[in-house]
Amino acid sequence: MNTTFSTTESTKTKAIVISALFIALTFVATMFINLRLPIMGNGGLIHLGNVPLFIAALVYGKRTGAIAGAFGMGLFDIVSGWALWSPFTFVIVGTMGFVVGLIAEKVPGKRVLVYSLAVVAALVIKVVGYYFTEVILYGNWIQPFGSIPGNIMQVVIAGIIVVPLVGRLKKRG
């Protein structure tokens, strides 16, 4: 077959397109499928942006997961009036995507349990990361506790959706 693109270029192009797709899906799910909790402190924002983030990390690996999370949710913060949060989100959610993908790639065992472990790791990263972010931004050690229930709900709901879904996606792929 005569083509003008090498296999390496085709693979790189495919990786860029997949990353861009998951950046967009993460951004859209965060921007348009959300609910603000009326609780103390910052309140917390529950969104479904973690669903495409976890799918990207579990199906395509740590790099795609990190890119989708960092850029997708970081962009959401910039365009939705939370720009001060964007650098923190970039690091926290990028780390979540990387760790979820890393666990899925490296930990042996039954996939449902491994994916569940990856989601639990993401939960810890999110809760701890955003707790300390709020301490830095608000200068208060108590107020950030108000955002923890929303952060837990976000990740748990995404995990409930994604873990069984990814198992099916990987069987078909």
Side-chain angles (χ1 to χ4, degrees):
M1 182 159 93
N2 188 9
T3 64
T4 57
F5 296 105
S6 71
T7 306
T8 305
E9 288 173 346
S10 177
T11 303
K12 287 179 183 177
T13 303
K14 183 178 177 182
I16 291 168
V17 169
I18 289 169
S19 292
L21 172 67
F22 279 101
I23 289 169
L25 289 171
T26 301
F27 170 77
V28 168
T30 305
M31 184 82 171
F32 299 109
I33 310 171
N34 66 54
L35 173 70
R36 180 145 178 139
L37 292 179
I39 55 180
M40 69 178 250
N42 189 40
L45 180 72
I46 297 179
H47 57 77
L48 291 183
N50 292 306
V51 171
L53 162 65
F54 290 162
I55 291 171
L58 294 171
V59 175
Y60 294 102
K62 61 186 179 260
R63 182 178 174 167
T64 304
I67 290 169
F71 287 98
M73 287 195 204
L75 180 61
F76 163 77
D77 283 349
I78 290 170
V79 302
S80 65
W82 303 67
L84 185 63
W85 290 79
S86 187
F88 299 102
T89 295
F90 189 88
V91 172
I92 294 165
V93 182
T95 302
M96 285 172 53
F98 184 86
V99 169
V100 167
L102 181 67
I103 291 171
E105 289 173 10
K106 301 291 184 184
V107 175
K110 191 172 180 181
R111 294 289 82 189
V112 172
L113 296 176
V114 171
Y115 297 159
S116 298
L117 172 66
V119 170
V120 169
L123 174 66
V124 171
I125 293 166
K126 181 171 223 104
V127 168
V128 171
Y130 279 111
Y131 175 82
F132 285 108
T133 297
E134 288 191 46
V135 167
I136 291 167
L137 293 178
Y138 299 134
N140 184 318
W141 291 89
I142 304 301
Q143 185 177 0
F145 284 109
S147 295
I148 292 175
N151 288 334
I152 291 171
M153 286 178 59
Q154 273 182 47
V155 175
V156 169
I157 291 168
I160 290 169
I161 294 168
V162 169
V163 169
L165 181 65
V166 167
R168 290 182 185 156
L169 286 173
K170 284 202 157 193
K171 282 182 185 176
R172 290 185 180 183

